Amino acid sequence: MSLSNKNVKKTAEFSLLLALAVLMGYLEMLIPFSFGIPGIKLGLANFIIVIVLYLYSAKWAYALSILRVLIIGALFSNYSMVLYSLCGVCFCIPLMFFLKKSERFSAVGVSAGGGVMHNIGQFTAAYIVIPSPALFYYLPFLMIAGLAAGILIGLLVQITLPRIKKGIRKFYF
């Protein structure tokens, strides 16, 4: 395969994965799913991000996450959501990369760590915007929600990743 064909293939794969992540983020916004605590959601688009981390690289996962946040923010949300989400991405991707690279954690552990760190990143952004000690009462709820959502997304990744890898081998070879 020539260099040009490889670039076209990579661009097409990245675009497809970005479209899937945006679609999952949009679908999550349509689901009237409230945990009773503002800002807490399942994070369906993170399923794609964790898959990308395992199949490609942290660089791809970072780029995909940032573009997903910007696109969803521009189309369906507001600037404060973009700020909080970008801070979450900046906190969670490095930790997920480190956990994956250590090879001591399964996809569930990697995703759970990412879920907690994403919420810590969002909390940090909120504290910078509104520096109130009262926000610290909210932090345990965010961490528990991030852990639960991360575990659920990680379980989905752990179940589907071998099937995706098998499908990729059949498709490309």
Side-chain angles (χ1 to χ4, degrees), residues 47-60:
F47 170 77
I48 301 297
I49 303 305
V50 177
I51 291 287
V52 166
L53 186 64
Y54 274 87
L55 293 180
Y56 297 96
S57 67
K59 184 172 74 171
W60 272 49

Side-chain angles (χ1 to χ4, degrees), residues 23-134:
L23 178 65
M24 291 181 95
Y26 176 67
L27 287 174
E28 185 171 39
M29 291 174 65
L30 294 177
I31 299 170
F33 199 63
S34 175
F35 292 101
I37 302 170
I40 292 178
K41 56 184 189 166
L42 192 54
L44 292 175
N46 293 327
F47 170 77
I48 301 297
I49 303 305
V50 177
I51 291 287
V52 166
L53 186 64
Y54 274 87
L55 293 180
Y56 297 96
S57 67
K59 184 172 74 171
W60 272 49
Y62 240 131
L64 201 69
S65 292
I66 290 170
L67 287 172
R68 172 187 57 89
V69 166
L70 293 174
I71 290 169
I72 289 174
L75 293 175
F76 312 115
S77 193
N78 57 48
Y79 294 118
S80 62
M81 188 283 303
V82 171
L83 170 71
Y84 294 136
S85 293
L86 285 176
C87 286
V89 166
C90 289
F91 276 61
C92 79
I93 299 290
L95 178 72
M96 290 194 316
F97 172 71
F98 174 76
L99 294 176
K100 178 191 170 283
K101 190 171 177 88
S102 76
E103 296 182 359
R104 294 182 181 165
F105 297 89
S106 67
V108 175
V110 170
S111 180
V116 170
M117 285 306 288
H118 186 85
N119 284 351
I120 290 173
Q122 289 182 322
F123 174 83
T124 302
Y127 191 76
I128 290 168
V129 173
I130 308 165
S132 169

Side-chain angles (χ1 to χ4, degrees), residues 1-19:
M1 188 181 294
S2 72
L3 184 59
S4 176
N5 286 344
K6 284 183 182 181
N7 288 340
V8 169
K9 179 182 169 267
K10 281 186 172 187
T11 301
E13 288 174 3
F14 187 84
S15 300
L16 178 63
L17 291 164
L18 178 59

